[in-house]
């Protein structure tokens, strides 16, 4: 308990320093009545399970005690953000059972991309719910919930968003990793670099669409270090010169860095185009890379180790799956202590790692401008 108190004090100090660093110490806390999230599996709280097939055991075991549609042993970064803002975890837009949208909705779907891909979920895990579709879903959501809210009895409104909250909501984008993965699959560096301007422009168009419908506060995550994902390190015959000082694939991380460079430039341009918008660019790449580089100092095992799955002697069985190997059935279960690991299943982070990253981005330490998330509605 003492460690929790000390950590809370550290976070509070960082928050004050972040605000002071931009000369806005006396800013009022933003009153975010709702959060709307657009993304992929890094922030999917059950949309993919509702649309395709449910995430099975052992996902969810650490916090929820059962699978709840997250590709993780517990909570995601978006869950910690909601908790920090005093809001419940976001309900997936596609989930029809026990759903409340009073405090926002989550349109993220695992496998989603910014730019529609000529691929499929069955072929290589690419979702048909690209960002443009998620925005269409939001537009319909806003229109239909407003219609029913204004025509319902008060007791029927409790699960619907209040129309006045849309303009005061926080809009989060956590998407792009699968666009980078698609570029890596095609193994054409020049083609990927040529595609990035269009990818970031499509994200910008999504922001502009929301802005035109009254949204004002945007929190945009860049892409994490894809070359540090253990799944990449376990599935390739890697030469030492291909790795950086943290043991990550340099060529793959170069894709992420190029995407992030252009994304940041586009966010800066959006500030000029949308004068009444508060746009925060969040350097998820730097936060995750710092964690990976200091894994043992932060109490984790080696960053390349995978908690859930079977990865030995060139045999790869994904988390929660079974496979018959030489007459023996192998179940790819989870490790004994997921909180010791950064990677849950080789692609997604554990709850412990998500908490570590979330607590460092919500205070503004990795943001441009360097404002805590509770002050993100202000335009410096």
């Amino acid at each position: 308990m003492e460690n929790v108190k000390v950590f809370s004090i550290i976070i509070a100090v960082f928050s004050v320093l972040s605000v002071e660093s931009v000369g806005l110490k006396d800013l009022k806390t933003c009153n975010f009545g709702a959060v709307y999230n657009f993304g992929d599996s890094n922030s999917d709280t059950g949309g993919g399970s509702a649309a395709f097939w449910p995430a099975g055991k052992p996902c969810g075991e650490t916090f929820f005690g059962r699978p709840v549609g997250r590709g993780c042993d517990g909570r995601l970064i978006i869950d910690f953000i909601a908790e920090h803002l005093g809001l419940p975890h976001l309900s997936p837009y596609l989930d029809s059972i026990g759903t409340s949208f009073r405090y926002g909705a989550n349109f993220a779907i695992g496998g989603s991309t910014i730019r529609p891909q000529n691929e499929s979920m069955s072929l290589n895990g690419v979702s048909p719910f690209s960002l443009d579709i998620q925005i269409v879903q939001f537009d319909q959501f806003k229109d239909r919930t407003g219609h029913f809210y204004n025509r319902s009895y008060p007791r029927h409104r409790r699960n619907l968003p209040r129309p006045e909250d849309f303009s005061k909501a926080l809009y989060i984008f956590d998407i792009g990793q699968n666009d980078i993965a698609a570029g890596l699959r095609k193994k054409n560096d020049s083609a990927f670099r040529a595609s990035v301007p269009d990818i970031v422009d499509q994200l910008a168009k999504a922001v502009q669409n929301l802005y035109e419908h009254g949204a004002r506060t945007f929190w945009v995550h860049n892409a994490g270090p894809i070359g540090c994902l253990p799944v990449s390190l376990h599935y390739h015959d890697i030469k030492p010169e291909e790795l950086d000082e943290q043991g990550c694939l340099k060529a793959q991380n170069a894709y992420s860095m190029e995407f992030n460079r252009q994304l940041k430039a586009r966010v800066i341009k959006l500030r000029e185009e949308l004068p009444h918008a508060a746009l925060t660019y969040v350097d998820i790449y730097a936060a995750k890379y710092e964690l990976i580089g200091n894994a043992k100092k932060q109490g984790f095992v080696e960053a390349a180790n995978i908690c859930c799955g079977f990865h030995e002697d060139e045999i790869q069985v994904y988390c929660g799956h079974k496979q018959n190997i030489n007459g023996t059935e192998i179940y790819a279960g989870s490790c004994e202590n997921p909180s010791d690991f950064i990677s849950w299943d080789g692609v997604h982070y554990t709850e412990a790692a998500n908490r570590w990253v979330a607590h460092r981005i919500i205070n503004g330490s990795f943001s441009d401008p360097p404002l805590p998330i509770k002050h993100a509605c202000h335009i410096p």
Side-chain angles (χ1 to χ4, degrees):
M1 182 62 70
E2 288 299 318
N3 289 337
V4 173
K5 291 180 180 178
V6 171
F7 188 74
S8 298
I9 294 172
I10 291 173
I11 292 297
V13 170
F14 273 132
S15 297
V16 172
L17 290 176
S18 297
V19 175
E20 288 182 340
S21 67
V22 290
L24 300 171
K25 183 178 179 181
D26 297 324
L27 283 180
K28 293 183 178 180
T29 299
C30 304
N31 181 26
F32 294 126
V35 172
Y36 293 97
N37 182 70
F38 307 88
D40 51 35
S41 59
N42 289 317
S43 58
D44 180 354
T45 55
S49 288
F52 303 111
W53 49 82
K57 295 180 179 180
C59 289
E61 64 179 16
T62 295
F63 182 79
F64 301 99
R66 62 187 179 89
V68 289
R70 292 158 173 79
C72 177
D73 61 306
R75 289 165 289 183
L76 309 177
I77 291 173
I78 187 66
D79 293 315
F80 289 109
I81 288 176
E83 290 177 6
H84 180 72
L85 296 176
L87 300 174
H89 295 156
L90 296 184
S91 292
Y93 168 70
L94 294 180
D95 194 355
S96 60
I97 301 174
T99 301
S100 173
F101 297 119
R102 183 59 180 267
Y103 302 102
N106 192 356
F107 297 86
I109 300 286
S112 293
T113 54
I114 296 173
R115 190 165 73 162
Q117 303 289 320
N118 187 25
E119 297 177 310
S120 70
M121 179 64 74
S122 59
L123 179 65
N124 46 33
V126 174
S127 163
F129 297 97
S130 50
L131 181 58
D132 59 334
I133 299 300
Q134 294 181 28
I135 295 299
V136 168
Q137 290 175 328
F138 171 82
D139 289 342
Q140 179 176 233
F141 172 86
K142 184 173 184 288
D143 182 64
R144 295 188 67 201
T145 57
H147 172 84
F148 287 110
Y149 187 92
N150 292 324
R151 289 164 177 76
S152 298
Y153 292 107
R155 69 178 181 274
H156 296 148
R157 295 177 177 176
R158 63 180 182 269
N159 291 327
L160 297 175
R162 292 169 293 200
E164 64 269 21
D165 283 345
F166 283 101
S167 62
K168 297 182 292 184
L170 176 65
Y171 293 82
I172 299 177
F173 288 84
D174 189 353
I175 191 167
Q177 180 170 302
N178 292 316
D179 294 87
I180 297 169
L184 289 169
R185 282 196 300 273
K186 295 170 184 175
K187 298 180 180 180
N188 189 326
D189 290 1
S190 59
F192 172 75
R193 290 179 182 276
S195 72
V196 174
D198 181 60
I199 295 172
V200 299
D201 194 54
Q202 291 203 32
L203 189 146
K205 288 178 180 177
V207 172
Q208 290 167 331
N209 178 288
L210 295 172
Y211 181 84
E212 290 169 1
H213 288 81
R216 289 296 180 264
T217 305
F218 303 92
W219 183 266
V220 183
H221 292 184
N222 69 7
I226 196 168
C228 298
L229 296 179
V231 69
S232 299
L233 302 173
H234 281 265
Y235 276 74
H236 294 85
D237 184 17
I238 300 170
K239 299 176 182 178
E241 59 267 24
E242 295 180 89
L243 302 176
D244 65 13
E245 64 276 11
Q246 306 302 350
C248 303
L249 287 163
K250 292 185 287 188
Q252 292 196 6
N253 276 349
Y255 274 52
S256 292
M257 289 187 283
E258 178 59 22
F259 169 82
N260 292 342
R261 183 186 68 80
Q262 294 195 39
L263 176 63
K264 184 175 184 178
R266 192 66 185 89
V267 169
I268 292 172
K269 187 177 180 182
L270 275 172
R271 291 176 184 147
E272 300 174 0
E273 298 169 350
L274 310 176
H276 301 295
L279 285 135
T280 302
Y281 172 85
V282 184
D283 197 349
I284 290 289
Y285 183 104
K288 289 184 174 179
Y289 196 75
E290 180 178 311
L291 171 60
I292 290 164
N294 295 280
K296 289 190 174 181
K297 289 182 180 179
Q298 298 300 325
F300 294 95
V301 299
E302 291 285 350
N305 291 353
I306 300 172
C307 173
C308 185
F310 184 89
H311 306 276
E312 296 180 11
D313 301 324
E314 299 184 357
I315 298 172
Q316 314 291 346
V317 185
Y318 277 108
C319 179
H321 289 208
K322 296 179 181 179
Q323 186 171 326
N324 191 290
I325 305 295
N326 297 325
T328 301
E329 184 178 78
I330 294 177
Y331 170 66
S334 64
C335 57
E336 184 176 352
N337 296 306
S339 61
D340 292 340
F341 288 71
I342 291 175
S343 180
W344 168 240
D345 58 7
V347 176
H348 307 99
Y349 287 57
T350 60
E351 174 177 288
N354 285 328
R355 179 191 291 109
W356 192 98
V357 174
H359 284 170
R360 281 156 180 78
I361 64 171
I362 61 178
N363 64 42
S365 298
F366 291 90
S367 298
D368 176 25
L371 290 173
I373 196 168
K374 288 185 177 180
H375 295 84
C377 63
H378 299 285
I379 304 173

